[in-house]
Amino acid sequence: MRLFGMLLTCALTLGAQIDSVDPEYLVPKANPYNSAADVKRGAQMFLGQCSRCHGTKGEGGLGAVLAQPRLRRAPDDESLFHVIRDGVKGTEMPPAFTLTSKEVWQLAAYVRSLGRVEAVSLPGDPRRGADLYGTKGKCGQCHIVSGQGESVGPELTEIGARRNAAYLRQALVEPEAAVPDGFLQVRVVTKDGRSITGVRLGEDTFTIQLADLTGHNYSFVKQDLKDLQKDFGKSPMPSYQTVLSAGELDDIIAYLASLRGNL
Ligand code: HEC
Ligand code: HEC
C-alpha cells in the first residue's frame, strides 16, 4: 500500500514536471488552431510529411483514406491529435515527435478539412441519375447503396459525403485514375482453362479469394492455377465516358453526390 502511494506521488510529480516543461502537454478536447491560416499551414506540412502515404488530397494509398467525414481511429479532435502525434503502433503510421503541439493541431485542422465535402448544387438531376444508376449504368451489379446491390466495388451509401463531384466524375470516366485501397484487380486462369477477372477479397501464401464482376465469390489454391496476375492500379470498373451522354453523366454525379447516408 505504501509502495503504491509512493509510486502515485512519483507519477504525480513527474506529471507536474512535464506540465511545467511543456504547457501544451495537456491536450485540449477541441482543436485550438482551426483558422484558415492554420489549415493552410497544415496543408503544407501534410504535403511534405503525409501525402506519400495518404495521397495529396487524403484519398489514401499505403495510408488510410483521410478524405472522409468519420475517421475510424479519430472520432474527435483529441483522438486525432494523438493519432498524428503518437502514430498507430504496429502499422506504417509513424509518430511525429519532431512536431510541436501547435503543428500537430494545424495538421489535424487540415485533415478534418479533407473529410468535409460540402453539399454543393450540381448541374444534373439526381432523380434521373438514380434511374440511370439502375438501368443503363447497371451500377448495382457491383455496388451497394443502402443494402441493395452487389459488393464487387466499394459501398456507395455515403459516397456523396466522402468524395467531391470532381472525384466522382473521374471515378466514372477514368476509373483507373483513383483506385481506392483494397480494390486490387486480379486475373486467374485455372488448370482447366477458365479465365476469371475480379477483385481480390483475401489472400494468403497458398490461397486467393476473389469476387468476379457478377459478384460471384471464388477461392483458389494457388498451386492449382495456371496463371495468376495482379493488375495494380487497374480497375474492373468500366469507363462510362462513351456509355453515358454528358447530360446523363451529370445526372448520375448529382445522384451520387446526394448519397450522404446519415452524414
Ligand atoms: C509511411 C506511411 C504513413 C505516413 C508517412 C503517414 N501515415 Fe498516417 N497512416 C498510415 C497508415 C498505414 C494508417 C492506418 C493505420 C491503421 O491501420 O489504423 C494511417 C492512419 C492515419 C490516421 C487515422 C485514420 C483513421 O481512419 O482513423 C490519421 C488521422 C493519419 N494517419 C494522419 C497522418 C498524418 C497527418 C501524417 C503526416 C504527419 C501521416 N498520417 C503520415 C500511414 C502513414
Ligand atoms: C463491373 C463492376 C462495376 C460496375 C458495373 C460499376 N462499378 Fe464502380 N467501381 C467498381 C470497382 C471494383 C471500384 C473500385 C476500383 C476503382 O475505383 O476503380 C469502383 C469504384 C467506383 C467509385 C469510386 C468509389 C470510391 O470510394 O472511391 C464510384 C463513385 C463508382 N464506382 C460508381 C459507379 C457507378 C455510378 C456505376 C454505374 C454507372 C458503377 N460504379 C459501375 C466496380 C464497378
Side-chain angles (χ1 to χ4, degrees):
M1 201 54 212
R2 166 103 54 88
L3 185 65
F4 176 73
M6 266 166 60
L7 282 176
L8 192 68
T9 327
C10 264
L12 286 175
T13 34
L14 193 66
Q17 265 167 14
I18 291 173
D19 272 350
S20 63
V21 172
D22 179 0
E24 291 172 299
Y25 181 73
L26 285 175
V27 176
K29 292 246 174 294
N31 191 340
Y33 298 99
N34 231 338
S35 71
D38 291 320
V39 173
K40 197 165 158 215
R41 179 73 192 104
Q44 287 164 345
M45 289 186 283
F46 189 88
L47 214 54
Q49 304 184 32
C50 323
S51 63
R52 71 189 162 96
C53 292
H54 289 286
T56 49
K57 296 260 180 284
E59 68 274 22
L62 175 58
V65 176
L66 301 180
Q68 51 184 337
R70 268 197 302 247
L71 296 176
R72 202 162 47 96
R73 295 195 187 271
D76 52 44
D77 284 357
E78 197 183 357
S79 49
L80 180 56
F81 179 94
H82 284 293
V83 166
I84 297 175
R85 192 190 58 184
D86 306 333
V88 182
K89 277 214 180 60
T91 77
E92 292 94 337
M93 175 61 197
F97 292 137
T98 57
L99 299 178
T100 64
S101 297
K102 180 175 175 183
E103 289 171 327
V104 171
W105 280 124
Q106 289 172 323
L107 274 163
Y110 179 64
V111 166
R112 280 288 182 243
S113 79
L114 291 172
R116 235 177 283 125
V117 174
E118 308 294 345
V120 291
S121 72
L122 294 166
D125 175 349
R127 259 175 315 169
R128 266 204 312 261
D131 245 21
L132 288 163
Y133 180 97
T135 53
K136 208 166 166 185
K138 300 198 180 74
C139 317
Q141 273 184 7
C142 295
H143 293 283
I144 291 182
V145 171
S146 305
Q148 300 285 316
E150 300 290 337
S151 61
V152 178
E155 172 159 359
L156 301 179
T157 307
E158 298 176 343
I159 192 76
R162 283 193 288 121
R163 311 290 199 196
N164 63 22
Y167 181 101
L168 294 172
R169 180 175 299 278
Q170 191 177 45
L172 289 169
V173 170
E174 220 185 326
E176 268 147 35
V179 177
D181 233 10
F183 288 90
L184 176 65
Q185 173 170 301
V186 290
R187 285 173 294 148
V188 302
V189 181
T190 60
K191 277 201 174 131
D192 56 6
R194 278 186 306 152
S195 318
I196 296 152
T197 298
V199 173
R200 180 175 67 178
L201 299 174
E203 179 175 6
D204 60 26
T205 315
F206 304 108
T207 67
I208 187 160
Q209 292 76 43
L210 57 137
D212 74 8
L213 304 187
T214 65
H216 192 320
N217 294 359
Y218 300 83
S219 181
F220 295 108
V221 176
K222 288 181 192 172
Q223 238 182 9
D224 296 345
L225 292 171
K226 202 152 75 187
D227 195 21
L228 167 61
Q229 298 284 340
K230 294 178 189 169
D231 301 328
F232 292 96
K234 279 246 173 211
S235 174
M237 173 159 160
S239 166
Y240 283 87
Q241 174 125 55
T242 53
V243 179
L244 301 172
S245 71
E248 288 173 332
L249 262 177
D250 283 347
D251 293 341
I252 288 211
I253 291 163
Y255 168 62
L256 293 175
S258 76
L259 297 176
R260 303 176 75 88
N262 297 319
L263 299 172

